[in-house]
Amino acid sequence: DTAVSQTPKYLVTQMGNDKSIKCEQNLGHDTMYWYKQDSKKFLKIMFSYNNKELIINETVPNRFSPKSPDKAHLNLHINSLELGDSAVYFCASSQGRSPGELFFGEGSRLTVL
Amino acid sequence: KQEVTQIPAALSVPEGENLVLNCSFTDSAIYNLQWFRQDPGKGLTSLLLIQSSQREQTSGRLNASLDKSSGRSTLYIAASQPGDSATYLCAVNGGSEKLVFGKGTKLTVNP
């Protein structure tokens, strides 16, 4: 069983569209994250949720809206996609608010044309 | 603001060689430090987690050390194999609920 799973793995869309990426973890962790990895492979945190509560929101445009229906799921919705949104988005989870060992999904590669 | 630097950006070695990857951080007030491995097109896999009170951690052929006072960590890989080829990332947790990542070292182990 995959510990942290993301869907879709690949997403190609036009500028201006709205898209969502879903993430689920079956590790029983209480904290989930979204990270963005840009074309230079630099990994940077976007959001973090602990028990469905938003605890980190890193200077991310309002077009990005995370939603956590329960502590096992964290989805990312992006409105009005722009070319600069093209990246790989990684979901991760850990136990506790201050991350110990982090478990990552395989990433969702978003390409905006 | 915490900054994490990894040198070199890329490293190519022959199979069987022992090697060291370096990670430095600017703020020594850290909670823990993790080393990850990333294979092309894949997510990150946690290799070793060192708490701020620890000096090193070992897992198989991997050994990670931490020197908080100098703001440095090293990942030692013994008897490297082609399957070790990947990008290795270092990430520092300053206790602010988020990790700060370095840009990684791309390792190629040649048969």
Side-chain angles (χ1 to χ4, degrees):
Chain A
D1 266 349
T2 304
V4 182
S5 58
Q6 300 178 224
T7 54
K9 187 164 183 171
Y10 299 98
L11 193 52
V12 180
T13 189
Q14 299 287 332
M15 262 195 330
N17 284 349
D18 303 339
K19 290 294 177 186
S20 292
I21 307 171
K22 295 185 176 183
C23 179
E24 175 181 5
Q25 55 94 5
N26 62 7
L27 297 167
H29 289 163
D30 58 5
T31 306
M32 296 184 72
Y33 310 82
W34 279 111
Y35 279 85
K36 178 180 180 180
Q37 190 172 44
D38 60 25
S39 57
K40 296 182 180 178
K41 306 297 185 187
F42 190 51
L43 202 64
K44 191 172 180 184
I45 192 165
M46 300 174 67
F47 300 104
S48 170
Y49 272 76
N50 175 258
N51 283 318
K52 304 195 297 175
E53 176 192 355
L54 179 66
I55 56 173
I56 296 174
N57 183 347
E58 279 290 294
T59 321
V60 177
N62 291 339
R63 299 181 295 103
F64 290 80
S65 53
K67 279 190 174 54
S68 181
D70 56 61
K71 71 176 188 177
H73 296 83
L74 180 61
N75 303 323
L76 183 65
H77 187 76
I78 316 170
N79 290 326
S80 304
L81 280 156
E82 301 178 356
L83 294 177
D85 297 332
S86 295
V88 182
Y89 293 85
F90 286 99
C91 177
S93 73
S94 69
Q95 185 58 34
R97 285 181 63 133
S98 192
E101 191 174 7
L102 219 59
F103 291 79
F104 279 80
E106 294 214 330
S108 297
R109 180 176 292 276
L110 171 66
T111 303
V112 183
L113 305 175
Chain B
K1 179 185 172 187
Q2 180 74 270
E3 292 183 3
V4 180
T5 304
Q6 291 186 247
I7 295 173
L11 181 63
S12 182
V13 300
E15 182 177 2
E17 192 162 297
N18 301 328
L19 60 101
V20 174
L21 307 180
N22 296 296
C23 171
S24 61
F25 45 95
T26 54
D27 186 347
S28 61
I30 68 169
Y31 187 73
N32 59 43
L33 181 146
Q34 291 188 61
W35 283 94
F36 294 87
R37 168 185 173 139
Q38 185 175 25
D39 292 284
K42 299 288 187 182
L44 280 70
T45 301
S46 179
L47 297 173
L48 289 163
L49 169 67
I50 310 178
Q51 301 293 347
S52 63
S53 58
Q54 297 175 318
R55 296 283 293 183
E56 64 179 325
Q57 280 281 3
T58 298
S59 176
R61 294 181 294 109
L62 305 179
N63 176 277
S65 70
L66 175 64
D67 184 344
K68 278 201 314 178
S69 59
S70 66
R72 291 183 182 179
S73 176
T74 61
L75 179 67
Y76 174 82
I77 303 177
S80 58
Q81 302 170 357
D84 294 331
S85 298
T87 296
Y88 291 81
L89 295 107
C90 162
V92 172
N93 174 10
S96 63
E97 301 166 331
K98 61 184 180 183
L99 295 184
V100 178
F101 281 82
K103 293 187 178 181
T105 294
K106 184 176 181 180
L107 173 65
T108 303
V109 180
N110 301 302

